[in-house]
Coordinates of all heavy atoms in Angstrom, one line a residue:
M142 N -104.8 0.4 -7.7 CA -104.2 -0.6 -6.8 C -103.6 -1.8 -7.6 O -104.1 -2.9 -7.7 CB -105.3 -1.2 -5.9 CG -105.2 -1.1 -4.5 SD -104.6 -1.4 -3.1 CE -105.6 -0.3 -2.1
G143 N -102.5 -1.5 -8.3 CA -101.9 -2.5 -9.2 C -101.4 -3.8 -8.5 O -101.6 -4.9 -9.0
K144 N -100.8 -3.6 -7.4 CA -100.3 -4.8 -6.6 C -101.5 -5.6 -6.2 O -101.4 -6.9 -6.2 CB -99.5 -4.3 -5.4 CG -98.1 -3.8 -5.7 CD -97.4 -3.4 -4.4 CE -96.0 -2.9 -4.7 NZ -95.4 -2.4 -3.5
W145 N -102.6 -5.0 -5.8 CA -103.7 -5.8 -5.4 C -104.3 -6.6 -6.6 O -104.6 -7.8 -6.4 CB -104.8 -4.8 -4.9 CG -106.0 -5.5 -4.4 CD1 -106.2 -6.1 -3.1 CD2 -107.2 -5.8 -5.1 NE1 -107.4 -6.7 -3.0 CE2 -108.1 -6.6 -4.2 CE3 -107.7 -5.5 -6.4 CZ2 -109.4 -7.0 -4.6 CZ3 -109.0 -6.0 -6.8 CH2 -109.8 -6.7 -5.9
A146 N -104.4 -6.0 -7.8 CA -104.9 -6.6 -8.9 C -104.0 -7.9 -9.3 O -104.6 -8.9 -9.9 CB -105.0 -5.7 -10.1
R147 N -102.7 -7.8 -9.1 CA -101.8 -8.9 -9.4 C -101.7 -10.0 -8.4 O -101.1 -11.0 -8.6 CB -100.4 -8.3 -9.7 CG -100.4 -7.6 -11.1 CD -98.9 -7.3 -11.5 NE -98.2 -6.5 -10.5 CZ -98.3 -5.1 -10.5 NH1 -98.9 -4.5 -11.5 NH2 -97.6 -4.5 -9.6
S148 N -102.2 -9.7 -7.2 CA -102.1 -10.8 -6.1 C -103.4 -11.1 -5.5 O -104.0 -12.1 -5.9 CB -101.0 -10.3 -5.1 OG -101.4 -9.0 -4.6
C149 N -103.8 -10.3 -4.5 CA -105.0 -10.6 -3.7 C -106.2 -10.8 -4.6 O -107.1 -11.7 -4.3 CB -105.3 -9.4 -2.8 SG -104.0 -8.6 -2.1
A150 N -106.4 -10.1 -5.7 CA -107.5 -10.2 -6.6 C -107.7 -11.6 -7.1 O -108.9 -12.0 -7.4 CB -107.4 -9.2 -7.7
L151 N -106.6 -12.4 -7.3 CA -106.7 -13.7 -7.9 C -107.7 -14.6 -7.1 O -108.4 -15.4 -7.6 CB -105.4 -14.4 -7.8 CG -104.3 -13.8 -8.6 CD1 -102.9 -14.5 -8.4 CD2 -104.6 -13.8 -10.1
C152 N -107.8 -14.4 -5.8 CA -108.7 -15.2 -4.9 C -109.8 -14.3 -4.3 O -110.9 -14.8 -4.1 CB -107.9 -15.8 -3.8 SG -106.6 -16.9 -4.4
H153 N -109.6 -13.1 -4.0 CA -110.5 -12.3 -3.3 C -111.6 -11.6 -4.2 O -112.5 -10.9 -3.6 CB -109.8 -11.3 -2.4 CG -109.2 -11.9 -1.2 ND1 -109.9 -12.1 0.0 CD2 -107.9 -12.4 -1.0 CE1 -109.1 -12.7 0.8 NE2 -107.9 -12.9 0.3
V154 N -111.6 -11.8 -5.5 CA -112.7 -11.4 -6.3 C -113.8 -12.5 -6.4 O -114.9 -12.2 -6.3 CB -112.2 -11.0 -7.7 CG1 -113.3 -10.8 -8.7 CG2 -111.4 -9.7 -7.7
T155 N -113.3 -13.7 -6.6 CA -114.3 -14.8 -6.8 C -114.6 -15.5 -5.5 O -115.5 -16.3 -5.4 CB -113.7 -15.9 -7.8 OG1 -112.4 -16.3 -7.2 CG2 -113.5 -15.3 -9.2
G156 N -113.8 -15.3 -4.4 CA -114.0 -16.1 -3.2 C -113.4 -17.5 -3.3 O -113.8 -18.4 -2.6
E157 N -112.3 -17.6 -4.1 CA -111.6 -18.8 -4.3 C -111.2 -19.5 -2.9 O -110.7 -18.8 -2.0 CB -110.3 -18.5 -5.1 CG -109.4 -19.6 -5.4 CD -109.9 -20.5 -6.5 OE1 -110.7 -20.0 -7.3 OE2 -109.6 -21.7 -6.5
A158 N -111.5 -20.7 -2.8 CA -111.2 -21.5 -1.5 C -111.7 -20.9 -0.3 O -111.1 -21.1 0.8 CB -109.6 -21.7 -1.5
G159 N -112.8 -20.2 -0.4 CA -113.4 -19.6 0.8 C -112.9 -18.2 1.2 O -113.1 -17.7 2.3
A160 N -112.1 -17.6 0.3 CA -111.6 -16.2 0.6 C -112.8 -15.2 0.7 O -113.7 -15.3 -0.1 CB -110.7 -15.8 -0.5
P161 N -112.7 -14.3 1.7 CA -113.7 -13.3 1.8 C -113.6 -12.4 0.6 O -112.6 -12.0 0.2 CB -113.3 -12.5 3.1 CG -111.9 -12.9 3.4 CD -111.6 -14.3 2.8
I162 N -114.8 -12.1 0.0 CA -114.9 -11.4 -1.2 C -114.7 -9.9 -1.0 O -115.4 -9.3 -0.1 CB -116.2 -11.8 -1.9 CG1 -116.2 -13.3 -2.3 CG2 -116.5 -10.9 -3.1 CD1 -117.5 -13.8 -2.9
A163 N -113.9 -9.3 -1.9 CA -113.7 -7.8 -1.8 C -115.0 -7.1 -2.0 O -115.8 -7.4 -2.9 CB -112.7 -7.4 -2.9
G164 N -115.3 -6.2 -1.1 CA -116.5 -5.4 -1.1 C -117.6 -6.0 -0.3 O -118.6 -5.3 -0.1
D165 N -117.6 -7.2 0.1 CA -118.6 -7.8 0.9 C -118.3 -7.4 2.4 O -117.7 -8.1 3.1 CB -118.6 -9.4 0.7 CG -119.7 -10.0 1.5 OD1 -120.2 -9.5 2.5 OD2 -120.1 -11.1 1.1
S166 N -118.9 -6.3 2.8 CA -118.5 -5.8 4.1 C -118.9 -6.6 5.2 O -118.2 -6.6 6.3 CB -118.9 -4.3 4.2 OG -120.3 -4.2 3.8
A167 N -120.0 -7.4 5.1 CA -120.4 -8.2 6.2 C -119.4 -9.3 6.5 O -119.0 -9.5 7.6 CB -121.8 -8.9 5.9
Q168 N -118.9 -9.9 5.4 CA -117.8 -10.9 5.6 C -116.6 -10.3 6.2 O -115.9 -10.9 7.1 CB -117.4 -11.5 4.2 CG -118.3 -12.6 3.7 CD -117.6 -13.3 2.5 OE1 -116.5 -13.6 2.4 NE2 -118.5 -13.5 1.5
W169 N -116.2 -9.1 5.8 CA -115.0 -8.5 6.3 C -115.2 -8.0 7.7 O -114.2 -8.0 8.5 CB -114.6 -7.4 5.3 CG -113.9 -7.9 4.1 CD1 -114.4 -8.1 2.9 CD2 -112.6 -8.4 4.1 NE1 -113.5 -8.7 2.1 CE2 -112.3 -8.9 2.8 CE3 -111.5 -8.6 5.0 CZ2 -111.1 -9.5 2.4 CZ3 -110.3 -9.1 4.6 CH2 -110.1 -9.6 3.3
Q170 N -116.4 -7.6 8.1 CA -116.6 -7.1 9.5 C -116.3 -8.3 10.4 O -115.7 -8.1 11.5 CB -118.0 -6.6 9.7 CG -118.2 -5.2 9.1 CD -117.1 -4.2 9.6 OE1 -116.7 -4.2 10.7 NE2 -116.7 -3.3 8.7
R171 N -116.8 -9.5 10.0 CA -116.5 -10.7 10.9 C -115.0 -10.9 11.0 O -114.6 -11.3 12.1 CB -117.2 -11.9 10.3 CG -118.7 -12.0 10.6 CD -119.2 -13.4 10.5 NE -119.0 -14.0 9.1 CZ -119.9 -13.7 8.1 NH1 -120.9 -12.9 8.3 NH2 -119.6 -14.2 6.9
R172 N -114.3 -10.8 9.9 CA -112.9 -11.1 9.9 C -112.1 -10.0 10.7 O -111.2 -10.3 11.5 CB -112.3 -11.0 8.5 CG -113.0 -12.0 7.5 CD -112.3 -13.3 7.6 NE -112.9 -14.3 6.7 CZ -112.4 -15.5 6.5 NH1 -111.3 -15.9 7.2 NH2 -112.9 -16.3 5.7
L173 N -112.6 -8.7 10.6 CA -111.9 -7.6 11.3 C -112.1 -7.6 12.8 O -111.4 -7.0 13.5 CB -112.3 -6.3 10.7 CG -111.8 -6.0 9.2 CD1 -112.5 -4.8 8.6 CD2 -110.3 -5.7 9.3
A174 N -113.1 -8.4 13.2 CA -113.5 -8.4 14.7 C -112.3 -8.8 15.5 O -112.2 -8.5 16.7 CB -114.7 -9.2 14.9
Q175 N -111.4 -9.6 14.9 CA -110.3 -10.2 15.7 C -109.2 -9.1 16.0 O -108.3 -9.3 16.8 CB -109.6 -11.3 14.9 CG -109.0 -10.8 13.6 CD -108.4 -11.9 12.8 OE1 -107.4 -12.5 13.1 NE2 -109.1 -12.3 11.7
G176 N -109.3 -7.9 15.3 CA -108.3 -6.8 15.5 C -107.4 -6.8 14.4 O -107.0 -7.8 13.7
E177 N -106.9 -5.6 14.1 CA -106.0 -5.4 12.9 C -104.7 -6.1 13.0 O -104.2 -6.6 12.0 CB -105.8 -3.8 12.7 CG -105.1 -3.6 11.4 CD -104.8 -2.1 11.1 OE1 -104.4 -1.4 12.0 OE2 -105.1 -1.7 10.0
E178 N -104.1 -6.1 14.2 CA -102.8 -6.7 14.4 C -102.8 -8.2 14.0 O -102.0 -8.7 13.3 CB -102.3 -6.5 15.8 CG -100.9 -6.6 16.0 CD -100.4 -6.2 17.4 OE1 -100.9 -5.2 17.9 OE2 -99.6 -7.0 18.0
S179 N -103.9 -8.8 14.5 CA -104.1 -10.3 14.3 C -104.3 -10.6 12.8 O -103.7 -11.5 12.3 CB -105.2 -10.7 15.2 OG -105.6 -12.0 14.8
I180 N -105.1 -9.8 12.2 CA -105.5 -10.0 10.8 C -104.2 -9.8 9.9 O -104.0 -10.6 9.0 CB -106.7 -9.2 10.3 CG1 -107.5 -10.0 9.2 CG2 -106.4 -7.8 9.8 CD1 -108.8 -9.4 8.9
L181 N -103.5 -8.8 10.2 CA -102.2 -8.5 9.4 C -101.2 -9.6 9.6 O -100.5 -10.0 8.7 CB -101.6 -7.2 9.8 CG -102.4 -6.0 9.2 CD1 -101.9 -4.6 9.8 CD2 -102.5 -5.9 7.7
Q182 N -101.1 -10.2 10.8 CA -100.3 -11.3 11.1 C -100.6 -12.5 10.2 O -99.7 -13.2 9.7 CB -100.4 -11.7 12.6 CG -99.6 -12.9 13.0 CD -98.5 -12.4 13.9 OE1 -98.4 -11.3 14.2 NE2 -97.7 -13.4 14.4
R183 N -101.9 -12.7 10.0 CA -102.3 -13.8 9.2 C -102.0 -13.6 7.7 O -101.7 -14.6 7.0 CB -103.8 -14.1 9.3 CG -104.1 -14.7 10.7 CD -105.6 -14.9 10.9 NE -105.9 -15.6 12.1 CZ -107.2 -15.9 12.5 NH1 -108.2 -15.4 11.8 NH2 -107.4 -16.6 13.5
V184 N -102.0 -12.3 7.3 CA -101.6 -12.0 5.9 C -100.1 -12.3 5.7 O -99.7 -12.9 4.8 CB -101.9 -10.5 5.6 CG1 -101.4 -10.2 4.2 CG2 -103.4 -10.3 5.6
L185 N -99.3 -11.9 6.7 CA -97.9 -12.1 6.6 C -97.5 -13.6 6.7 O -96.6 -14.1 6.0 CB -97.2 -11.4 7.8 CG -97.3 -9.9 7.7 CD1 -96.7 -9.2 9.0 CD2 -96.7 -9.2 6.5
E186 N -98.1 -14.3 7.6 CA -97.7 -15.7 7.8 C -98.6 -16.8 7.1 O -98.2 -17.9 7.0 CB -97.8 -16.0 9.3 CG -96.8 -15.2 10.1 CD -96.9 -15.4 11.6 OE1 -97.7 -16.2 12.1 OE2 -96.1 -14.8 12.3
G187 N -99.7 -16.3 6.5 CA -100.6 -17.3 5.9 C -101.6 -17.8 6.9 O -101.4 -17.7 8.1
Y188 N -102.7 -18.3 6.4 CA -103.8 -18.8 7.3 C -104.7 -19.7 6.4 O -105.3 -19.3 5.5 CB -104.6 -17.6 7.7 CG -105.8 -17.9 8.6 CD1 -105.6 -18.6 9.8 CD2 -107.1 -17.5 8.2 CE1 -106.7 -18.9 10.6 CE2 -108.2 -17.8 9.0 CZ -108.0 -18.4 10.2 OH -109.1 -18.7 11.0
N189 N -104.6 -21.0 6.7 CA -105.3 -22.1 5.9 C -105.0 -21.9 4.5 O -103.8 -21.9 4.1 CB -106.8 -22.0 6.2 CG -107.2 -22.2 7.6 OD1 -106.5 -23.0 8.3 ND2 -108.2 -21.6 8.1
S190 N -105.9 -21.7 3.6 CA -105.7 -21.6 2.1 C -105.2 -20.2 1.7 O -104.9 -19.9 0.5 CB -106.9 -21.9 1.3 OG -107.4 -23.2 1.6
M191 N -105.1 -19.3 2.7 CA -104.6 -17.9 2.4 C -103.0 -18.0 2.4 O -102.5 -18.4 3.5 CB -105.1 -17.0 3.4 CG -104.4 -15.6 3.6 SD -104.7 -14.5 2.2 CE -103.3 -13.4 2.4
P192 N -102.3 -17.8 1.3 CA -100.9 -18.0 1.3 C -100.2 -16.9 2.0 O -100.6 -15.7 2.0 CB -100.5 -18.0 -0.2 CG -101.6 -17.2 -0.9 CD -102.9 -17.4 0.0
P193 N -99.0 -17.2 2.6 CA -98.2 -16.1 3.2 C -97.9 -15.0 2.3 O -97.6 -15.2 1.1 CB -96.9 -16.8 3.6 CG -97.2 -18.3 3.6 CD -98.3 -18.5 2.7
L194 N -98.1 -13.7 2.7 CA -98.0 -12.5 1.9 C -99.0 -12.4 0.7 O -98.9 -11.5 -0.1 CB -96.5 -12.4 1.3 CG -95.4 -12.5 2.4 CD1 -94.1 -12.4 1.7 CD2 -95.5 -11.3 3.4
G195 N -99.9 -13.4 0.6 CA -100.9 -13.3 -0.4 C -100.4 -13.2 -1.8 O -101.0 -12.5 -2.7
Y196 N -99.2 -13.7 -2.1 CA -98.5 -13.7 -3.4 C -97.9 -12.3 -3.7 O -97.5 -12.1 -4.8 CB -99.5 -14.1 -4.5 CG -99.9 -15.5 -4.6 CD1 -101.0 -15.9 -5.4 CD2 -99.3 -16.5 -3.8 CE1 -101.4 -17.2 -5.5 CE2 -99.7 -17.8 -3.9 CZ -100.8 -18.2 -4.7 OH -101.2 -19.5 -4.8
C197 N -97.9 -11.4 -2.8 CA -97.3 -10.1 -3.1 C -96.0 -10.0 -2.3 O -96.0 -9.5 -1.2 CB -98.2 -8.9 -2.7 SG -97.5 -7.4 -3.2
M198 N -94.9 -10.5 -2.9 CA -93.6 -10.5 -2.2 C -93.0 -9.1 -2.0 O -92.2 -8.9 -1.1 CB -92.6 -11.3 -3.1 CG -93.1 -12.8 -3.4 SD -93.7 -13.7 -1.9 CE -94.8 -14.8 -2.6
S199 N -93.4 -8.2 -2.8 CA -92.9 -6.8 -2.7 C -93.7 -5.9 -1.8 O -93.4 -4.7 -1.7 CB -92.7 -6.2 -4.1 OG -94.0 -6.0 -4.7
C200 N -94.8 -6.5 -1.3 CA -95.7 -5.6 -0.4 C -95.1 -5.4 1.0 O -94.5 -6.3 1.5 CB -97.1 -6.3 -0.3 SG -98.1 -6.1 -1.8
E201 N -95.4 -4.3 1.5 CA -95.0 -4.0 2.9 C -96.3 -4.0 3.8 O -97.3 -4.0 3.2 CB -94.3 -2.6 3.0 CG -93.0 -2.6 2.2 CD -92.5 -1.2 2.1 OE1 -92.7 -0.4 3.0 OE2 -91.8 -0.9 1.1
V202 N -96.1 -3.9 5.1 CA -97.2 -4.0 6.0 C -98.2 -2.9 5.6 O -99.4 -3.0 5.7 CB -96.8 -3.9 7.5 CG1 -97.9 -3.7 8.4 CG2 -96.0 -5.2 7.8
K203 N -97.6 -1.7 5.3 CA -98.6 -0.6 5.0 C -99.4 -0.9 3.7 O -100.6 -0.5 3.6 CB -97.8 0.8 4.9 CG -96.9 0.9 3.7 CD -96.4 2.3 3.6 CE -95.3 2.6 2.7 NZ -95.1 1.9 1.5
D204 N -98.8 -1.6 2.8 CA -99.6 -2.0 1.6 C -100.7 -3.0 2.0 O -101.8 -2.9 1.5 CB -98.7 -2.8 0.6 CG -97.5 -1.8 0.1 OD1 -97.9 -0.7 -0.3 OD2 -96.4 -2.3 0.0
F205 N -100.3 -4.0 2.9 CA -101.4 -5.0 3.3 C -102.5 -4.3 4.0 O -103.7 -4.6 3.9 CB -100.7 -6.0 4.1 CG -99.8 -6.9 3.3 CD1 -98.5 -7.2 3.8 CD2 -100.2 -7.5 2.2 CE1 -97.7 -8.1 3.2 CE2 -99.4 -8.4 1.5 CZ -98.1 -8.6 1.9
R206 N -102.1 -3.3 4.9 CA -103.2 -2.6 5.6 C -104.1 -1.9 4.7 O -105.3 -1.9 4.8 CB -102.5 -1.6 6.6 CG -103.5 -0.9 7.5 CD -102.8 0.0 8.5 NE -102.0 -0.7 9.5 CZ -100.7 -0.5 9.8 NH1 -100.0 0.5 9.1 NH2 -100.1 -1.2 10.7
A207 N -103.5 -1.2 3.7 CA -104.4 -0.5 2.7 C -105.3 -1.5 1.9 O -106.4 -1.3 1.6 CB -103.5 0.3 1.7
M208 N -104.7 -2.7 1.5 CA -105.4 -3.7 0.7 C -106.6 -4.3 1.5 O -107.7 -4.5 1.0 CB -104.5 -4.8 0.4 CG -103.5 -4.4 -0.7 SD -102.1 -5.6 -0.7 CE -101.5 -5.3 -2.4
V209 N -106.4 -4.5 2.8 CA -107.5 -5.1 3.7 C -108.5 -4.0 3.8 O -109.7 -4.3 3.6 CB -106.9 -5.5 5.0 CG1 -108.1 -5.9 6.0 CG2 -106.0 -6.7 4.9
G210 N -108.2 -2.7 4.0 CA -109.2 -1.7 4.0 C -110.0 -1.5 2.8 O -111.2 -1.3 2.8
F211 N -109.2 -1.7 1.7 CA -109.9 -1.6 0.4 C -110.9 -2.7 0.2 O -112.1 -2.5 -0.2 CB -108.8 -1.7 -0.7 CG -109.3 -1.8 -2.1 CD1 -109.9 -0.8 -2.8 CD2 -109.1 -3.1 -2.8 CE1 -110.3 -1.0 -4.1 CE2 -109.5 -3.2 -4.1 CZ -110.1 -2.2 -4.8
M212 N -110.5 -3.9 0.5 CA -111.4 -5.1 0.3 C -112.6 -5.0 1.3 O -113.7 -5.5 1.0 CB -110.6 -6.4 0.5 CG -109.6 -6.7 -0.6 SD -109.0 -8.3 -0.6 CE -107.8 -8.3 0.7
A213 N -112.4 -4.5 2.5 CA -113.4 -4.4 3.5 C -114.4 -3.2 3.2 O -115.4 -3.1 3.8 CB -112.8 -4.2 4.9
G214 N -114.0 -2.4 2.2 CA -114.9 -1.3 1.9 C -114.6 0.0 2.7 O -115.3 0.9 2.7
I215 N -113.5 -0.1 3.5 CA -113.0 1.1 4.3 C -112.0 1.8 3.4 O -111.5 1.2 2.5 CB -112.4 0.7 5.6 CG1 -113.2 -0.3 6.3 CG2 -112.0 1.8 6.5 CD1 -112.5 -1.1 7.4
N216 N -111.8 3.1 3.6 CA -110.8 3.9 2.8 C -110.7 3.6 1.3 O -109.6 3.3 0.8 CB -109.4 3.9 3.5 CG -108.7 2.6 3.5 OD1 -109.0 1.7 2.7 ND2 -107.7 2.5 4.4
Q217 N -111.8 3.5 0.6 CA -111.7 3.3 -0.8 C -111.5 4.6 -1.6 O -111.9 5.6 -1.1 CB -113.1 2.7 -1.4 CG -113.1 1.2 -1.1 CD -114.3 0.6 -1.8 OE1 -114.7 0.9 -2.9 NE2 -114.9 -0.4 -1.1
Ligands
HEC434 C1 -104.3 -18.1 -3.4 C2 -105.5 -17.4 -3.0 C3 -105.3 -16.1 -2.2 C4 -104.6 -15.0 -2.5 C5 -103.7 -14.8 -3.7 C6 -104.8 -14.1 -1.4 N1 -105.7 -14.6 -0.5 FE1 -106.3 -13.7 1.2 N2 -107.4 -15.4 1.7 C7 -107.5 -16.5 0.9 C8 -108.4 -17.5 1.6 C9 -108.8 -18.8 1.0 C10 -108.8 -16.9 2.8 C11 -109.7 -17.5 3.9 C12 -108.8 -18.3 4.8 C13 -109.7 -18.9 5.9 O1 -110.4 -18.2 6.6 O2 -109.6 -20.2 6.1 C14 -108.1 -15.6 2.8 C15 -108.3 -14.7 3.9 C16 -107.7 -13.5 4.0 C17 -107.9 -12.5 5.0 C18 -108.6 -12.8 6.3 C19 -107.8 -13.6 7.3 C20 -108.5 -13.7 8.6 O3 -107.8 -13.6 9.7 O4 -109.7 -14.0 8.7 C21 -107.2 -11.4 4.7 C22 -107.0 -10.2 5.6 C23 -106.6 -11.6 3.4 N3 -107.0 -12.9 3.0 C24 -105.8 -10.7 2.8 C25 -105.2 -10.9 1.5 C26 -104.4 -9.9 0.9 C27 -104.1 -8.6 1.4 C28 -103.9 -10.5 -0.3 C29 -103.0 -9.9 -1.3 C30 -101.7 -9.4 -0.8 C31 -104.5 -11.9 -0.3 N4 -105.2 -12.1 0.8 C32 -104.3 -12.8 -1.3 C33 -106.9 -16.7 -0.3 C34 -106.1 -15.8 -0.9

């Protein structure tokens, strides 16, 4: 997941600024409870300290969907 390592990982490995940590499924379950469409919208548009597109300008929605699944511990 090279795109993930160059973008999302900057914050989602350490939990920078309150970012949910990759692999912490309890944190991710709480986030995913809002529904996939809503969570992907926040990735595209940004949400508090989460920047729009999460610094991955070349990512498409399918990439973001895979990245969220990866961080949540689904489809690894
Ligand atoms: C500059 C740091 C930073 C980067 C880079 C970043 N994030 Fe985040 N992300 C955050 C922070 C901080 C939050 C928590 C925002 C909040 O809940 O206030 C967050 C929250 C999220 C959430 C949960 C949103 C919600 O509705 O609860 C998702 C999904 C997410 N990030 C996906 C990604 C993806 C995918 C990438 C890479 C393409 C990425 N992030 C890159 C900082 C970052």
Side-chain angles (χ1 to χ4, degrees):
M142 235 292 179
K144 284 180 176 173
W145 183 82
R147 286 192 299 274
S148 54
C149 324
L151 297 175
C152 301
H153 286 275
V154 168
T155 57
E157 182 71 28
I162 294 175
D165 184 333
S166 47
Q168 279 191 42
W169 282 101
Q170 283 311 321
R171 278 202 302 279
R172 303 274 182 175
L173 287 167
Q175 67 184 286
E177 189 181 44
E178 199 172 318
S179 167
I180 209 170
L181 287 173
Q182 178 109 0
R183 288 175 171 180
V184 175
L185 297 174
E186 295 179 358
Y188 178 60
N189 299 326
S190 303
M191 162 74 200
L194 305 177
Y196 292 167
C197 186
M198 305 308 156
S199 65
C200 284
E201 297 170 28
V202 171
K203 66 170 169 37
D204 297 315
F205 291 131
R206 187 177 289 128
M208 288 163 161
V209 172
F211 170 72
M212 291 194 282
I215 309 162
N216 68 20
Q217 279 190 37

